[in-house]
Amino acid sequence: MPEPTVVDATVVDPTVVAADYFQSYSVVGLLAAVGVLFVAVAFGAGRLLRPVVPTPEKLLTYECGVDPVGEGWAHTQVRYYVYAFLYVIFAVDSIFLFPWATVFAAPGYGATTLVEMFIFLGFLAVGLLYAYKKGVLTWT
């Protein structure tokens, strides 16, 4: 059994400290169990209450009200993913401009944040230049 330690002239029992530590995690575990139980009950109730009437029309693939014709396999052009990727990069980067603007307005941070933002915009410009050189930005 571990020996008690003295903290600020009081004796602290390690088992009490461990019990307090694990008690806080037991609350988190109980909350997670209640959440899982809630989801399980909701899915179970939905399964019991819904009508199950499979018809051939319900088993068809539905696509925007148009009857499916042909195979379900279709080739997708990779360039659309590249456009989406570039959009996400620049949209997320524009979000970083707002916190920068608030820090830039704070006294004493002007020059440092200005240099940091120009470095940040330089990285963005290099990425955009790379995409342009690779031909990603030409629509064909």
Side-chain angles (χ1 to χ4, degrees):
M1 184 160 133
E3 294 184 20
T5 57
V6 177
V7 177
D8 295 332
T10 59
V11 177
V12 178
D13 188 13
T15 56
V16 173
V17 173
D20 288 343
Y21 179 76
F22 288 118
Q23 182 182 4
S24 62
Y25 277 109
S26 65
V27 172
V28 173
L30 181 65
L31 186 62
V34 168
V36 168
L37 181 67
F38 181 75
V39 171
V41 167
F43 275 114
R47 186 168 208 176
L48 290 174
L49 296 175
R50 72 175 180 228
V52 180
V53 186
T55 61
E57 288 83 18
K58 286 184 180 179
L59 299 176
L60 282 176
T61 304
Y62 181 77
E63 187 173 337
C64 300
V66 179
D67 291 332
V69 178
E71 295 182 22
W73 181 258
H75 293 285
T76 305
Q77 303 251 348
V78 176
R79 70 174 180 240
Y80 298 123
Y81 292 112
V82 174
Y83 292 130
F85 184 67
L86 284 173
Y87 170 75
V88 167
I89 287 173
F90 286 104
V92 169
D93 291 338
S94 66
I95 290 172
F96 287 119
L97 292 175
F98 292 108
W100 171 79
T102 58
V103 171
F104 183 71
Y109 291 103
T112 305
T113 55
L114 187 63
V115 169
E116 288 175 352
M117 186 49 64
F118 277 119
I119 291 171
F120 178 71
L121 291 175
F123 280 120
L124 287 180
V126 168
L128 188 61
L129 183 65
Y130 176 77
Y132 177 75
K133 292 285 186 182
K134 285 290 190 178
V136 171
L137 302 177
T138 57
W139 189 267
T140 56

